């Protein structure tokens, strides 16, 4: 059976540097397919999609709300010609009803251990409209290594530099932050993968630089310590979401190859100031992900936040506006107050204001968002800051003698 797996394109934030990372959802899905499936993968964020071919089935892997409109039009193009379309991924769980109407079938949940049933129904021409496995999370032990052989790495190379490969050491999250749908998706369960499987997967990746895409590494300190100790001999360099910021943990994370972390910042706070300082003291760079438009921010509050961000001496910063994604506590609150402006999903990029802010107009928040990007990168461009971040990793790689197992890196790549 020929399956065409498609990752639909979406409108990127104009302000971001235009590099691309391999998408983790499709390669994880591909790993759960039986070997007899003849798989073609198209990452539409990097290549034009031909919808005139005739695969036996199209599988759509959809991660973001702003991919939903494009996913629906790709589904329509194939279904018009009688080709069945199945959709899955985080955004499909979040937009299940809408996607079930647009496709022949939707798969909700984590695919491992469940997809043979779908394929067998497909073979008999009896696809169910919905396969709801959200309450039947697979045992984490059966999650295998992602299928990176389906990727065209030329798409994930920017100015001659191979970008990071995504890999995950855990699923789920035990927290329930207001703007986040992870609690809806995974029921607030933190599920670490067996560390030996994570190590085996990393050893198989031909890249010295990785992105640990776990929701947060600050979930279980004992597990995080074990993970970091196991990563030390691999000598890879990696990026992640936050880590528990005590000195012992950060020293271990650095030794394990932590290169930089993403740190969410929603307001002026001593906790964040100290956390950023501690990361840096341990040789870990910080990219701030700054969210504008929280209910406690008026115009002066946003301007104070921008001053604070400058003070922090972040290595990079990404600004977004609060966005009421479906199935988040934040959206629920805004709906109750009638503050959602519209549901045009293609504008839910976190770069456009789609709600009524509490203390300013939507237009003012949009203007402040643009000011934030301009101000942060006024002294030094984003490309230059990114080059400095890479310079740091190259220097460390040189000191460390490169990754342990022949993974690719080039010291002259910034020249
Ligand atoms: S924002 Fe991060 S820490 Fe908070 S619930 Fe979502 S994944 Fe968990």
């Amino acid at each position: 059976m020929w399956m065409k797996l498609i990752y639909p394109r979406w409108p990127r934030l104009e302000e971001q540097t235009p590099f691309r990372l391999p998408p983790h959802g499709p390669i994880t899905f591909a790993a759960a397919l039986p070997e007899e499936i003849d798989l073609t993968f198209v990452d539409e964020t990097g290549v034009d999609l031909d919808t005139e071919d005739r695969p036996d089935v199209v599988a759509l892997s959809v991660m973001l709300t702003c991919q939903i409109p494009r996913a629906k039009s790709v589904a329509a193009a194939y279904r018009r010609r009688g080709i069945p379309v199945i959709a899955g991924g985080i955004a499909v769980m979040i937009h299940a009803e809408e996607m079930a109407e647009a496709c022949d079938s939707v798969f909700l949940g984590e695919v491992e251990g469940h997809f043979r049933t779908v394929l067998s129904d497909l073979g008999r021409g009896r696809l169910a409209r919905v396969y709801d496995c959200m309450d039947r999370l697979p045992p984490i032990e059966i999650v295998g290594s992602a299928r990176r052989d389906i990727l065209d790495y030329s798409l994930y190379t920017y100015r001659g530099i191979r970008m990071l490969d995504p890999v995950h050491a855990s699923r789920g999250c035990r927290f329930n932050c207001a703007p986040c749908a992870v609690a809806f998706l995974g029921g607030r369960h933190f599920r670490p993968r067996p560390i030996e499987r994570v190590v085996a997967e990393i050893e198989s990746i031909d890249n010295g630089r990785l992105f640990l895409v776990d929701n947060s590494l600050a979930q279980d300190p004992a597990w995080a310590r074990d993970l970091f100790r196991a990563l030390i001999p691999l000598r890879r360099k990696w990026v992640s979401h936050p880590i528990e910021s005590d000195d012992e943990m950060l020293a271990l994370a650095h030794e394990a190859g932590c290169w930089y972390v993403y740190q969410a910042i929603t307001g002026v706070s001593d906790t964040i100031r100290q956390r950023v300082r501690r990361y840096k003291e341990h040789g870990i760079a910080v990219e701030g992900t700054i969210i504008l438009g929280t209910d406690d921010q008026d115009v002066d509050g946003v301007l104070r936040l921008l001053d604070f961000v400058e003070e922090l001496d972040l290595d990079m910063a990404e600004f977004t506006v609060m966005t009421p994604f479906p199935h988040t506590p934040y959206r629920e609150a805004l709906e109750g107050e009638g503050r959602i402006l519209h549901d045009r999903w293609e504008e839910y990029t976190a770069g456009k204001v789609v709600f009524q802010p509490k203390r300013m107009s939507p237009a003012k928040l949009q203007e402040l968002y643009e000011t934030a990007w301009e101000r942060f990168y006024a002294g030094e461009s984003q490309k230059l800051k990114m080059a400095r971040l890479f310079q740091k990793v190259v220097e460390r790689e040189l000191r460390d003698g490169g990754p342990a197992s022949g993974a690719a890196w080039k010291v002259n790549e910034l020249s």
Side-chain angles (χ1 to χ4, degrees):
M1 179 191 292
W2 175 24
M3 175 185 283
K4 184 166 175 181
L5 172 61
I6 298 168
Y7 188 62
R9 65 171 188 251
W10 77 84
R12 285 177 64 106
L13 294 185
E14 284 164 23
E15 295 81 3
Q16 285 173 324
T17 35
F19 66 84
R20 229 177 265 113
L21 300 185
H24 191 241
I27 59 176
T28 308
F29 167 72
L33 291 174
E35 273 178 16
E36 61 268 21
I37 299 288
D38 177 13
L39 188 66
T40 306
F41 174 55
V42 180
D43 178 353
E44 205 198 3
T45 69
V47 292
D48 290 339
L49 178 68
D50 170 17
T51 54
E52 294 302 314
D53 51 3
R54 297 205 70 86
D56 298 310
V57 60
V58 166
L60 298 173
S61 176
V62 194
M63 179 175 72
L64 302 169
T65 285
C66 59
Q67 280 176 296
I68 290 287
R70 178 60 187 163
K72 285 164 69 175
S73 72
V74 172
Y78 278 104
R79 293 181 79 205
R80 259 196 300 274
R81 294 189 298 118
I83 295 167
V85 177
I86 305 173
I90 291 171
V92 174
M93 289 186 247
I94 289 173
H95 298 270
E97 281 181 28
E98 188 175 347
M99 287 304 288
E101 274 181 31
C103 301
D104 295 276
S105 181
V106 290
F107 181 89
L108 312 177
E110 295 178 10
V111 77
E112 292 86 359
H114 295 304
F115 212 68
R116 274 198 184 272
T117 311
V118 181
L119 292 172
S120 138
D121 289 355
L122 175 66
R124 292 184 296 132
R126 299 177 62 175
L127 267 182
R129 180 65 84 184
V130 179
Y131 293 89
D132 186 352
C133 297
M134 285 183 71
D135 288 334
R136 290 188 287 141
L137 296 175
I140 195 73
E141 296 73 24
I142 71 168
V143 172
S145 293
R147 285 245 342 245
R148 297 178 177 80
D149 60 296
I150 65 170
L151 296 171
D152 169 2
Y153 274 102
S154 68
L155 301 180
Y156 314 112
T157 302
Y158 178 64
R159 298 185 154 211
I161 301 175
R162 166 122 165 230
M163 291 290 108
L164 321 180
D165 265 282
V167 61
H168 71 318
S170 66
R171 289 182 179 176
C173 176
R174 59 191 175 83
F175 304 115
N176 187 20
C177 304
C180 182
V182 159
F184 165 76
L185 298 170
R188 300 190 67 179
H189 301 296
F190 172 63
R191 296 152 61 225
R193 293 176 67 194
I195 287 175
E196 65 278 9
R197 298 207 74 164
V198 179
V199 167
E201 176 162 358
I202 290 176
E203 280 178 324
S204 74
I205 302 174
D206 174 28
N207 189 350
R209 300 172 193 151
L210 307 170
F211 180 9
L212 300 187
V213 293
D214 305 52
N215 292 310
S216 159
L217 294 177
Q219 304 261 340
D220 176 343
W223 171 80
R225 267 185 222 105
D226 289 347
L227 175 70
F228 296 161
R229 285 191 191 107
L231 294 181
I232 292 169
L234 309 182
R235 299 211 299 265
R236 306 298 169 105
K237 301 295 172 272
W238 47 270
V239 174
S240 75
H241 295 293
I243 298 168
E244 209 82 56
S245 74
D246 68 70
D247 287 331
E248 185 213 336
M249 188 71 86
L250 291 180
L252 198 53
H254 181 262
E255 200 184 347
C258 183
W259 163 22
Y260 71 91
V261 293
Y262 289 98
Q263 175 62 54
I265 301 170
T266 56
V268 178
S269 130
D270 263 347
T271 311
I272 294 293
R273 194 190 318 261
Q274 283 159 19
R275 181 178 284 232
V276 170
R277 181 177 48 75
R278 267 201 299 273
Y279 281 132
K280 299 198 111 184
E281 280 171 3
H282 286 279
I284 296 171
V286 183
E287 173 159 352
T289 49
I290 297 104
I291 305 176
L292 307 177
T294 55
D295 281 358
D296 59 346
Q297 291 170 358
D298 57 12
V299 173
D300 282 345
V302 173
L303 294 173
R304 273 197 302 278
L305 177 58
L306 300 188
D307 289 341
F308 175 64
V309 166
E310 276 173 31
E311 237 180 76
L312 290 175
D313 190 27
L314 300 167
D315 295 87
M316 297 275 288
E318 180 175 285
F319 298 89
T320 56
V321 285
M322 281 297 274
T323 304
F325 293 107
H327 298 290
T328 61
Y330 181 60
R331 184 171 180 104
E332 208 174 297
L334 257 56
E335 274 172 347
E337 297 168 15
R339 289 167 57 201
I340 309 276
L341 296 180
H342 62 75
D343 283 342
R344 294 194 294 274
W345 302 133
E346 66 277 13
E347 295 187 30
Y348 276 58
T349 55
K352 295 222 161 85
V353 182
V354 299
F355 75 107
Q356 173 61 55
K358 197 155 194 166
R359 295 165 195 268
M360 67 189 91
S361 67
K364 188 68 196 175
L365 179 56
Q366 191 69 52
E367 183 191 315
L368 287 169
Y369 164 80
E370 279 145 30
T371 305
W373 281 95
E374 279 163 21
R375 259 184 67 173
F376 187 82
Y377 291 105
E380 188 174 62
S381 74
Q382 201 174 155
K383 286 195 176 98
L384 200 50
K385 282 190 190 288
M386 191 172 146
R388 286 192 200 289
L389 207 48
F390 271 84
Q391 188 70 44
K392 281 186 184 170
V393 82
V394 170
E395 283 165 10
R396 275 184 69 186
E397 285 165 343
L398 281 171
R399 276 199 305 274
D400 294 355
S405 68
W409 60 283
K410 292 181 280 173
V411 296
N412 62 344
E413 59 197 3
L414 291 174
S415 58

